Amino acid sequence: MTPFAPQACLVKGRAVPPELLGELRDSAPLLSDPEALRARMAEDGHLFLRGVLDPDAVRAARREVFARLAAVGEIREPVDDGLFTGTSRRTELEPDRGRFWRSVSEGPRLRAVSHAGPIAAVMDTVFGEPARPQDYMFLRAGVRGRATDLHYDYPFFTRAHDRVCTVWTALGDVPTSDGPLVVVAGSQHYRDLIDPMIGHDISLNPERRAAFGSDAIEFARSRGTRLLTADFRVGDVIVFGMYLAHGSLDNHSPIDRVRLSCDVRWQPVSLPVDDRYFGADPPGTTGAGYAELNGAKPLTQDWHVR
Ligand SMILES: O=C(O)CCC(=O)C(=O)O
């Protein structure tokens, strides 16, 4: 078992002070008790679920994605290691960014873990009724230096209703040094941030940013709370609702390993869908489809933490 290595948790190049850091608690043992699982979700705003996916299926998805990135010169052989070459030929070989990223995001092995198999049963249990994933996927290949600022998912995904959950899947081991997801403990109760956000639709009001102005360390300190994360391992997922502040740690992998993950939104089958994220070629948040995603940009060493 990989030990939790809090010293490796960086935000914008600074170590997260130990008093502001905690380890996500594993809720997988509650899967056999749906009421308790849903109570945990209501209490924590998230469920960290260790080992719920088939590790071999996740490894196959990782290999499928990294083989595509190796074909454009970004990932070294053997692709399973996920090491960045430091260069890219994506622009010359795949000039249609959106089409390329859509085809990578629709790989059958990737979809077999993100949209089917064990995660489908997990999400039925989380919602207490049959659930379905959005077709649109946020596939993220983050090189060293990359991080995601704190935000709530509400402005992106609640146009039709707010019974929506994000499922963030580690596509391979993502130790804290590689910049896994981080959540702000208790942020589902921050009415001063949540109330003004109600009704904010990022597609209609893109000038109003979803990301917080302060970085995660300052934010956690100001709220007297902790940032929760884990050394994610192959097979682990975290599920969270639209009212939980989250982001990622910095990827500062000393071996230039690319952090690979995907995040997909799920909702009850019984509720209306948001057309932006469903269909054969979903328009996405801005209407640009897969071209709008960071993942659609060639990997480059010029990433700065943002
Ligand atoms: O993977 C990341 O860096 C951020 C993921 C995220 O913001 C999400 O899943 O909603």
Side-chain angles (χ1 to χ4, degrees), residues 139-221:
L139 176 64
R140 302 180 199 248
V143 299
R144 184 157 53 87
R146 191 71 216 290
T148 303
D149 287 339
L150 288 185
H151 62 282
Y152 289 99
D153 272 357
Y154 177 98
F156 296 89
F157 303 113
T158 58
R159 184 176 285 184
H161 54 83
D162 67 357
R163 285 198 70 206
V164 180
C165 282
T166 294
V167 177
W168 188 94
T169 303
L171 296 170
D173 291 344
V174 184
T176 50
S177 60
D178 291 12
L181 198 88
V182 66
V183 308
V184 181
S187 54
Q188 72 276 24
H189 302 302
Y190 296 164
R191 297 309 327 172
D192 60 313
L193 295 180
I194 292 170
D195 289 344
M197 183 173 70
I198 301 303
H200 180 209
D201 181 329
I202 200 97
S203 299
L204 303 177
N205 190 357
E207 295 78 36
R208 185 172 155 197
R209 286 175 52 82
F212 294 4
S214 55
D215 78 40
I217 294 176
E218 295 319 319
F219 185 77
R221 199 191 310 277

Side-chain angles (χ1 to χ4, degrees), residues 5 8-10 174-180 231 249-254 257:
C9 297
L10 301 191
V174 184
T176 50
S177 60
D178 291 12
D231 282 309
L249 297 174
D250 299 355
N251 179 353
H252 62 101
S253 163
R257 190 167 43 218

Side-chain angles (χ1 to χ4, degrees), residues 4-301:
F4 185 53
Q7 71 278 11
C9 297
L10 301 191
V11 169
K12 294 198 176 358
R14 288 190 298 145
V16 182
E19 70 277 12
L20 300 182
L21 192 64
E23 188 168 14
L24 287 161
R25 66 170 159 170
D26 180 14
S27 293
L30 299 182
L31 278 165
S32 56
D33 182 350
E35 289 301 325
L37 186 81
R38 289 191 283 274
R40 174 73 61 84
M41 180 72 180
E43 185 187 335
D44 288 357
H46 65 274
L47 296 168
F48 175 52
L49 301 168
R50 278 242 188 250
V52 290
L53 305 184
D54 172 5
D56 288 337
V58 177
R59 283 188 200 102
R62 175 183 178 85
R63 194 168 307 128
E64 178 181 77
V65 172
F66 278 152
R68 299 294 306 278
L69 299 188
V72 294
E74 295 177 348
I75 293 290
R76 296 179 196 283
E77 299 286 348
V79 298
D80 292 11
D81 293 347
L83 303 185
F84 183 37
T85 58
T87 61
S88 175
R89 296 179 62 221
R90 201 192 295 197
T91 301
E92 35 189 312
L93 296 175
E94 299 285 350
D96 186 336
R97 281 184 178 187
R99 196 171 70 170
F100 176 68
W101 202 241
R102 181 179 157 206
S103 75
V104 177
S105 301
E106 290 180 342
R109 291 186 176 78
L110 175 58
R111 294 278 164 157
V113 295
S114 63
H115 281 67
I119 194 60
V122 167
M123 295 314 293
D124 288 354
T125 308
V126 168
F127 283 110
E129 60 180 298
R132 67 185 292 191
Q134 293 183 348
D135 296 316
Y136 194 71
M137 169 193 286
F138 291 69
L139 176 64
R140 302 180 199 248
V143 299
R144 184 157 53 87
R146 191 71 216 290
T148 303
D149 287 339
L150 288 185
H151 62 282
Y152 289 99
D153 272 357
Y154 177 98
F156 296 89
F157 303 113
T158 58
R159 184 176 285 184
H161 54 83
D162 67 357
R163 285 198 70 206
V164 180
C165 282
T166 294
V167 177
W168 188 94
T169 303
L171 296 170
D173 291 344
V174 184
T176 50
S177 60
D178 291 12
L181 198 88
V182 66
V183 308
V184 181
S187 54
Q188 72 276 24
H189 302 302
Y190 296 164
R191 297 309 327 172
D192 60 313
L193 295 180
I194 292 170
D195 289 344
M197 183 173 70
I198 301 303
H200 180 209
D201 181 329
I202 200 97
S203 299
L204 303 177
N205 190 357
E207 295 78 36
R208 185 172 155 197
R209 286 175 52 82
F212 294 4
S214 55
D215 78 40
I217 294 176
E218 295 319 319
F219 185 77
R221 199 191 310 277
S222 71
R223 295 278 167 166
T225 191
R226 292 184 307 158
L227 303 172
L228 305 180
T229 190
D231 282 309
F232 281 75
R233 299 194 292 268
V234 66
D236 298 348
V237 303
I238 178 167
V239 178
F240 52 93
M242 298 292 101
Y243 303 97
L244 190 76
H246 62 279
S248 81
L249 297 174
D250 299 355
N251 179 353
H252 62 101
S253 163
I255 55 170
D256 264 334
R257 190 167 43 218
V258 174
R259 189 210 82 179
L260 191 65
S261 68
C262 66
D263 38 285
V264 174
R265 276 80 215 165
W266 289 69
Q267 66 161 78
V269 170
S270 61
L271 291 180
V273 300
D274 180 340
D275 292 338
R276 290 174 297 172
Y277 303 114
F278 285 88
D281 192 6
T285 307
T286 66
Y290 280 88
E292 75 190 20
L293 296 178
N294 271 333
K297 298 176 194 155
L299 299 192
T300 158
Q301 269 172 332

